[in-house]
Structure formats: C-alpha cells, structure tokens
C-alpha cells in the first residue's frame, strides 16, 4: 500500500460486474428458511453466535432515536436488533433483489400476528450495489446517519481499489461527524495463516471450505497488490460464492483517508471471550439460544463451528469531527 493510491493491476471492469452479479444472484436465490429448517441447520449455533455478536455491537454503539444505515442489509435479519435499540429511522441497502423483497416482507410482517407487532421505526429499503453507486445521491434526504452497519459483507467491496474506496466514501459521506461505523468481515490474518498451514490451496472442515486459485500457488500476497485477492468460500447452509481478502492494516489506512478512525478491531474469538464476561451479554446469549441451559460456556457450538467463527473479526470506526451539539 502506497500513499496516494497506485495499487497495481486491477481486474477488468466487466469481470468485476460479473463477480458482483454472482454474489447478488447467490444471495437472491437463498430462500427464507422456516423455523424448523433453521433449527436443523448444521451451523445453527454459529448463526446464533453471529447474531449475538451483531447484537452486542448494536447495543454498545446505537442510541435511542439514531438514524441507521444498514449496508448490505440482506433479508433484514438485524431489524429486530435495531428495534430493541429503539432507533428512530432505518435505511437498508442491498444488491440482491430477492433479499430486499424478503427484508420488506419481514419489515411489514407476513402473518397477521407479525403485522400487529410493527417495528417502531420508519424504514426505507433500496436495491443497489453499495460499492459502485454513490449512495449520497440516493440518500441526500435521509443523511446524515448516526450509525452505519455493514455485517458480513464489506469484503465484497475489496475486489478492486475503486470499489473499496466507493464503499468507504459512501460511509464517510453519509455519517455525521462523530458517527459510528460497525461491521463484521473475514479476518485476513487468519485466512492467510490457514492457507499457509495447509498443504495445498484449500483448507476447511466439515462445515466450510476456502479455496484459492493456482495464481496463489506461492501463497504470497505482495503489499503492492492488496485488492482483488479472490478465494472461493463455502459455508454449509449459508454461503457459496467468491470473496476477497481484506488486509486489515490496509483497510485501516484506507478508512483514514475517508476520515474514519479505528476504534476497535477484534477477532471473533477475542470478542466472544471479552463480552461473554459481561452479565448483560451473557444473558443475551442465553436468550438467543447460543448457550447450553444453565451453562456459561459455548459447548453447544461444535468445534467445527467454533473454528469458522475464528475466521471473522468485528470492527468499529468513527467519523472524524465533533458531533453537533443537541
Ligand atoms: N448483513 C446481513 C446480515 O448480517 O444478515 C446480510 C449478510 S450476507 C452474508 C451478505 C450480504 O451482502 C448479502 O445480502 C448480499 O446480497 C450483500 N452484498 C454483497 N455485495 C453487495 C454489494 N455490492 N452491494 C450491496 N450488497 C451486497
């Protein structure tokens, strides 16, 4: 990474569009699961743990009345978490048409019972590519936002420097001074470490695999070409599409160019160990069902699921500047 840009060869534009489309189609095609299907998922406890991590981030950083921007909101799996934080307004953006439709159904309620229990905040949903579009053009009437969230999705922006920059430019342009950006994404340090430990270009366990192409047979990733490092990721009952490595120290430097300063970065294992100690979050984990009855440990999670959680990190950035006085 060198100051002022210049990161070497980039993938072609149309390749890029195709990859973004592949990701969108993959998520669009994933139908909503019934409660029974969800409980039978081989990664049900991992899903619950991920929900707990997102809930903790939201509870730590959202304040009542906040204006929320949820980038890559998916099917709206976090709507209830934002409701619990008593936010005042919600905008969700996602590239996958199917997911935005599901998100809308979830927000409006698809059963009489759900329709009675409306969310307490107004919401707007937009279907577009968050890493290509200038979101301030769509959202000039909604901005500024107090908090922006991008859960399990920012790595889809690291296919090219232009997309990674657009992602951060969008967040920076839409957050108020002092506004918070929370997110979760793969931990590149762990992914590269696992790759180097493996014999070939693949690694994984019974619930996931990661596969790098032959172009990475030397397992070297020069700092001069930090974008477009692609691998295939498969997670049973969840993900099956290309992803891109996000070297975190470069992400931090790039974010600073957009006035976003690092507040926190923790691998999921560290995050869990730290916040599990806090009684309010232990209780939350029990309610979500990620803890076994009466036990303060994560023994309901299989070893293979626990290994997957080690592949991820949580981050918090803050937009420079003083918040406006109330
Ligand atoms: N944030 C949601 C959550 O935590 O439940 C969804 C996470 S899902 C793993 C990744 C999401 O990123 C998908 O909904 C996908 O459509 C979305 N996504 C991927 N690339 C995107 C892009 N370029 N613009 C907007 N959304 C994108």
């Amino acid at each position: 990474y060198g100051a002022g840009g210049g990161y070497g060869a980039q993938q072609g534009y149309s390749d890029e569009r195709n990859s973004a489309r592949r990701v969108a189609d993959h998520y669009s095609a994933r139908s909503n699961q019934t409660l029974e299907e969800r409980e039978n998922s081989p990664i049900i406890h991992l899903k619950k743990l991920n929900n707990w991590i997102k809930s903790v981030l939201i509870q730590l950083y959202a304040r009542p009345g906040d204006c929320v921007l949820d980038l890559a909101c998916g099917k709206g799996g976090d709507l209830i978490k934002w409701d619990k934080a008593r936010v005042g307004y919600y905008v969700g953006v996602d590239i996958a048409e199917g997911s935005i439709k599901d998100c809308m159904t979830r927000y409006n309620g698809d059963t009489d019972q759900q329709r009675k229990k409306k969310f307490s905040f107004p919401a707007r949903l937009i279907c577009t590519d968050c890493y290509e579009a200038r979101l301030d053009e769509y959202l000039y009437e909604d901005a500024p936002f107090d908090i922006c969230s991008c859960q399990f999705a920012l790595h889809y922006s690291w296919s090219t420097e232009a997309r990674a920059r657009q992602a951060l430019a969008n967040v920076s342009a839409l957050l108020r001074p002092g506004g918070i950006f929370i997110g979760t994404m793969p931990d590149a340090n762990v992914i590269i470490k696992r790759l180097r430990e493996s014999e070939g270009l693949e690694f994984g366990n019974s619930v996931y695999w990661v596969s790098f192409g032959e172009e990475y047979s030397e397992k070297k990733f020069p700092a001069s070409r930090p974008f477009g490092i692609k691998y295939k990721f498969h997670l049973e009952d969840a993900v099956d599409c290309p992803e891109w490595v996000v070297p975190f120290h470069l992400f931090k430097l790039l974010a600073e160019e957009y006035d976003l300063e690092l507040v926190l970065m923790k691998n999921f294992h560290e995050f869990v160990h730290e916040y599990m100690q806090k009684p309010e979050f232990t209780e939350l984990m029990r309610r979500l069902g990620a803890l076994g009855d009466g036990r303060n440990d994560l023994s309901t999670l299989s070893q293979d699921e626990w290994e997957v959680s080690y592949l991820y990190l949580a981050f918090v950035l803050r937009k420079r500047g003083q918040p406006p006085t109330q």
Side-chain angles (χ1 to χ4, degrees):
Y1 176 87
Y7 298 96
Q10 298 286 325
Q11 267 177 278
Y13 182 70
S14 55
D15 271 6
E16 211 27 64
R17 272 270 166 87
N18 287 341
S19 292
R21 201 62 254 159
R22 257 201 78 190
V23 172
D25 289 347
H26 164 71
Y27 284 106
S28 253
R30 282 196 58 80
S31 59
N32 259 339
Q33 289 185 313
T34 63
L35 207 60
E36 196 186 348
E37 281 166 347
R38 190 179 134 80
E39 285 300 322
N40 287 330
S41 164
I43 56 158
I44 178 61
H45 294 106
L46 177 66
K47 287 182 180 176
K48 289 178 177 177
L49 185 73
N50 289 345
N51 273 321
W52 176 81
I53 289 171
K54 293 192 286 180
S55 298
V56 172
L57 281 173
I58 289 172
Q59 288 192 18
L60 286 173
Y61 292 98
R63 293 175 322 175
D66 269 359
C67 203
V68 179
L69 174 62
D70 192 355
L71 291 184
C73 62
K75 298 170 187 299
D78 295 341
L79 282 168
I80 293 176
K81 303 177 186 71
W82 293 112
D83 207 31
K84 293 216 164 95
R86 293 185 288 129
V87 300
Y89 182 50
Y90 172 95
V91 175
V93 189
D94 201 284
I95 193 173
E97 301 85 346
S99 300
I100 284 289
K101 277 190 192 143
D102 287 348
C103 187
M104 203 168 284
T105 307
R106 185 168 282 178
Y107 178 77
N108 289 324
D110 57 356
T111 63
D112 283 345
Q113 202 186 2
Q114 285 171 353
R115 269 190 285 276
K116 272 186 222 143
K117 194 184 141 294
K118 280 250 163 75
F119 288 98
S120 56
F121 50 81
R124 187 176 168 198
L125 299 175
I126 296 171
C127 186
T128 193
D129 185 334
C130 295
Y131 313 138
E132 187 179 309
R134 274 197 57 171
L135 291 183
D136 53 340
E137 288 175 358
Y138 286 82
L139 296 172
Y140 61 92
E141 285 182 337
D142 309 76
F145 291 85
D146 302 293
I147 185 162
C148 173
S149 169
C150 186
Q151 304 297 340
F152 298 103
L154 200 60
H155 49 299
Y156 296 117
S157 76
W158 271 62
S159 52
T160 66
E161 178 178 351
R163 287 171 70 77
R165 283 186 178 276
Q166 190 58 56
L168 292 168
N170 281 337
V171 175
S172 184
L174 292 166
L175 273 183
R176 65 162 167 79
I180 291 289
F181 179 27
I182 57 175
T184 44
M185 66 178 165
D187 186 334
N189 281 337
V190 176
I191 289 179
I192 302 300
K193 184 167 171 276
R194 287 273 182 272
L195 173 68
R196 291 191 173 138
E197 284 166 359
S198 73
E199 279 186 10
L201 290 166
E202 287 184 8
F203 58 93
N205 63 30
S206 68
V207 289
Y208 87 97
W209 52 258
V210 166
S211 170
F212 281 81
E214 282 302 323
E215 64 273 35
Y216 299 113
S217 56
E218 290 188 17
K219 304 188 182 182
K220 285 191 182 141
F221 302 93
S224 57
R225 283 194 285 125
F227 301 94
I229 305 172
K230 183 155 84 174
Y231 57 89
K232 285 189 195 142
F233 182 59
H234 174 88
L235 177 61
E236 233 19 58
D237 191 35
V239 188
D240 196 24
C241 63
E243 300 198 345
W244 289 267
V245 171
V246 184
F248 196 84
H249 60 295
L250 300 174
F251 171 69
K252 175 177 175 283
L253 285 176
L254 199 66
E256 278 168 9
E257 287 188 30
Y258 293 90
D259 285 336
L260 298 164
E261 289 172 330
L262 185 66
V263 174
L264 172 150
M265 186 282 263
K266 284 183 199 299
N267 177 277
F268 272 15
H269 278 194
E270 192 191 352
F271 190 99
V272 171
H273 284 130
E274 184 167 335
Y275 291 101
M276 273 275 285
Q277 307 306 321
K278 307 201 187 290
E280 68 273 32
F281 297 137
T282 319
E283 184 46 38
L284 175 66
M285 196 177 279
R286 194 180 311 286
R287 280 206 305 275
L288 285 173
L291 277 181
D293 283 342
R295 287 177 299 188
N296 265 9
D297 61 40
L298 287 162
S299 55
T300 50
L301 212 69
S302 69
Q303 187 56 37
D304 282 358
E305 287 174 290
W306 183 236
E307 253 181 49
V308 177
S309 77
Y310 189 48
L311 300 177
Y312 289 89
L313 60 79
F315 66 82
V316 180
L317 304 174
R318 186 179 172 280
K319 171 88 185 278
R320 262 189 216 118
Q322 288 304 315
T325 45
Q326 308 275 321

